[in-house]
Amino acid sequence: MTSTHMSPAGPRALTAIAHCAYLTGRLLRTLRRSPAFLVIGLVQPVIWLLLFGQLFRSVANLPGFTTGSGGFLQFLTPGVVMMTALFASAWAGTTYLQDIDRGVMDRLLTSPAGRGAMMGAGLAYQAVQTVVQSLAVVAVALAAGARFPGGVTGVGVTVLAAVLLALIFSALSSAVALLTRQQATLIAISQFTTLPLMFLSSAVMDLRLAPGWVGNVAACNPVEWAVAAARQALLAPADWGAVWAHLALLAAVALAMSFLATRAFRAYRRSA
């Protein structure tokens, strides 16, 4: 007669998920009490979408420019979605800085919640914010006259790409916050990474009209992976092989960055 014993890994996993869900709820309650933060984060992307969409719409007439029946606005929308995710996630580390200043971080680290649950909560919060903002940008684009042959599936892939991109840079921002504990350093690194990565992609311009070296750099740029996946998915017919390849790259980097950001808690504890 044999007896079976439940592996402790199962209960531990359930406990970690419960802790992550609780901490995510804590962050979402903060957002619910201050929804203006979410709205303010949409002001600049909407301006980009509507202003750039009108100012540069004749760019779509240039020879070699890739665009669909929706013109430059259709081309620009995936780029603005990714720019929104990029800039919002680059500031994710400020949540940790606030918790450090208030003494909340030290209390959390001495609580039963694991470091993985703490990092997972921050990333889940950023993912929820990215979903809301991405759908809002797409809705504004549709209201402004853009049409996306990829339909609901294309929009879903666009949101997924935006979430994966947000996870990458949220993890990076969180790691910088934990390692440096300095708002000024976080701002400097955010500015140093986000703006070059945005312009070294096809977010606002077809790379075939850019110098060759820009295209070479863009091939290694997560922002370009996200923009390319979204833009392909919104077209009809889409090159799904390219879409899934770009999403796989984003997912792999997101996992790696999440792991490294979680490890940053150790450095924080040693320097506390």
Side-chain angles (χ1 to χ4, degrees):
M1 183 175 181
T2 60
S3 60
T4 58
H5 299 279
M6 181 180 293
S7 171
R12 282 202 300 267
L14 292 176
T15 301
I17 293 173
H19 288 164
C20 182
Y22 177 80
L23 293 172
T24 302
R26 165 182 171 259
L27 295 172
L28 290 176
R29 284 192 294 273
T30 302
L31 182 61
R32 186 177 62 188
R33 288 193 295 266
S34 303
F37 177 78
L38 188 64
V39 176
I40 292 172
L42 284 169
V43 172
Q44 191 175 39
V46 169
I47 291 175
W48 288 335
L49 190 68
L50 299 180
L51 184 60
F52 287 3
Q54 292 298 314
L55 286 177
F56 301 113
R57 60 181 178 180
S58 60
V59 173
N61 298 324
L62 291 175
F65 193 93
T66 302
T67 184
S69 59
F72 186 69
L73 186 60
Q74 183 190 70
F75 176 88
L76 182 63
T77 301
V80 172
V81 169
M82 301 314 155
M83 288 157 61
T84 305
L86 176 65
F87 291 137
S89 60
W91 296 99
T94 56
T95 300
Y96 288 101
L97 293 177
Q98 291 171 356
D99 284 345
I100 291 171
D101 291 340
R102 297 168 182 168
V104 175
M105 179 63 70
D106 292 332
R107 293 198 295 271
L108 286 175
L109 288 173
T110 56
S111 72
R115 299 182 182 98
M118 292 170 60
M119 183 59 62
L123 297 180
Y125 165 78
Q126 195 65 43
V128 171
Q129 180 176 318
T130 300
V131 169
V132 174
Q133 291 183 326
S134 299
L135 291 175
V137 171
V138 172
V140 171
L142 289 170
R147 294 296 177 263
F148 305 108
V152 175
T153 301
V155 173
V157 170
T158 299
V159 173
L160 175 59
V163 168
L164 291 174
L165 184 67
L167 294 181
I168 292 172
F169 288 94
S170 294
L172 174 61
S173 178
S174 299
V176 171
L178 290 169
L179 293 173
T180 67
R181 306 189 193 184
Q182 297 292 327
Q183 182 79 21
T185 304
L186 180 60
I187 293 173
I189 293 178
S190 297
Q191 294 292 334
F192 180 76
T193 56
T194 55
L195 290 177
L197 288 176
M198 181 188 75
F199 288 112
L200 292 172
S201 75
S202 62
V204 296
M205 181 57 63
D206 193 323
L207 291 179
R208 286 184 293 184
L209 300 178
W213 67 268
V214 175
N216 294 333
V217 173
C220 303
N221 182 355
V223 178
E224 174 58 19
W225 301 342
V227 172
R231 193 167 283 140
Q232 276 289 335
L234 289 171
L235 297 176
D239 183 354
W240 288 106
V243 170
W244 295 121
H246 287 123
L247 291 177
L249 286 171
L250 288 168
V253 176
L255 286 173
M257 287 303 305
S258 300
F259 173 76
L260 293 175
T262 303
R263 300 275 295 182
F265 280 113
R266 292 188 179 183
Y268 172 82
R269 290 298 299 270
R270 286 197 299 267
S271 61

